[in-house]
Amino acid sequence: MVHAQFDPTAREALANAAVEAKIRKDLTWEQIADAAGLSVAFTTAAVLGQHALPEASAKAVAELLGLDEDAVMLLQTIPTRGSIPGGIPTDPTIYRFYEMLQVYGTTLKALVHEQFGDGIISAINFKLDVKKVADPEGGERAVITLDGKYLPTKPF
């Protein structure tokens, strides 16, 4: 049976324990995702408390991280999503994404609506990818792909 969480504190505590185990075992998110058999973005989000894992993936992740049966059960629950409590985020990396949406949010909205019409881009039927690429001018660039299904607004 599928169960939902309504108090994020249990998933937050599990995320803290999982990250601690990840560090202690010197694992990468990619290694954890490989064990789960899922994408690195989805697995990372799940371990950090934003998605439920399928049973086999939850068992594999818990085994790799040395977590108990309660963790296996909790990793399968539907979480209360949203990992940025209140107001403007203060972590510099998260803040820059907030800043990007502040600067380009209305542009993205205008372009999406011009090309697709009235509707939204799903964060449920969604794929995320992060790649590091060389910058021709020196250094490195981050290429972040957000790939969500378009859902049109339906009058009723």
Side-chain angles (χ1 to χ4, degrees):
M1 173 180 267
V2 177
H3 295 281
Q5 286 287 315
F6 293 97
D7 179 358
T9 56
R11 288 300 292 265
E12 288 169 6
L14 175 57
N16 289 333
V19 169
E20 183 179 316
K22 174 190 176 291
I23 293 167
R24 194 177 329 99
K25 292 175 175 272
D26 195 28
L27 296 168
T28 65
W29 288 113
E30 187 70 46
Q31 290 170 311
I32 296 168
D34 288 346
L38 301 167
S39 76
V40 68
F42 187 88
T43 302
T44 303
V47 172
L48 295 178
Q50 298 303 306
H51 290 303
L53 286 176
E55 183 178 4
S57 298
K59 287 180 178 179
V61 167
E63 182 178 338
L64 179 64
L65 295 175
L67 302 173
D68 63 18
E69 285 299 313
D70 287 342
V72 173
M73 179 186 64
L74 198 52
L75 283 167
Q76 296 175 72
T77 62
I78 300 166
T80 299
R81 292 179 171 95
S83 60
I84 303 172
I88 298 170
T90 57
D91 176 85
T93 302
I94 297 172
Y95 175 78
R96 292 297 174 222
F97 284 101
Y98 175 81
E99 178 184 42
M100 288 175 217
L101 286 176
Q102 289 285 62
V103 173
Y104 293 104
T106 53
T107 300
L108 290 167
K109 176 181 171 52
L111 294 173
V112 165
H113 288 187
E114 183 175 279
Q115 292 179 37
F116 293 91
D118 187 12
I120 62 167
I121 298 170
S122 175
I124 301 300
N125 188 337
F126 186 81
K127 295 176 185 173
L128 165 69
D129 189 42
V130 178
K131 288 188 186 287
K132 179 169 61 171
V133 299
D135 187 335
E137 298 175 7
E140 299 167 333
R141 300 188 66 81
V143 177
I144 300 165
T145 304
L146 307 173
D147 179 352
K149 181 175 182 173
Y150 180 75
L151 303 171
T153 299
K154 294 182 180 179
F156 59 93

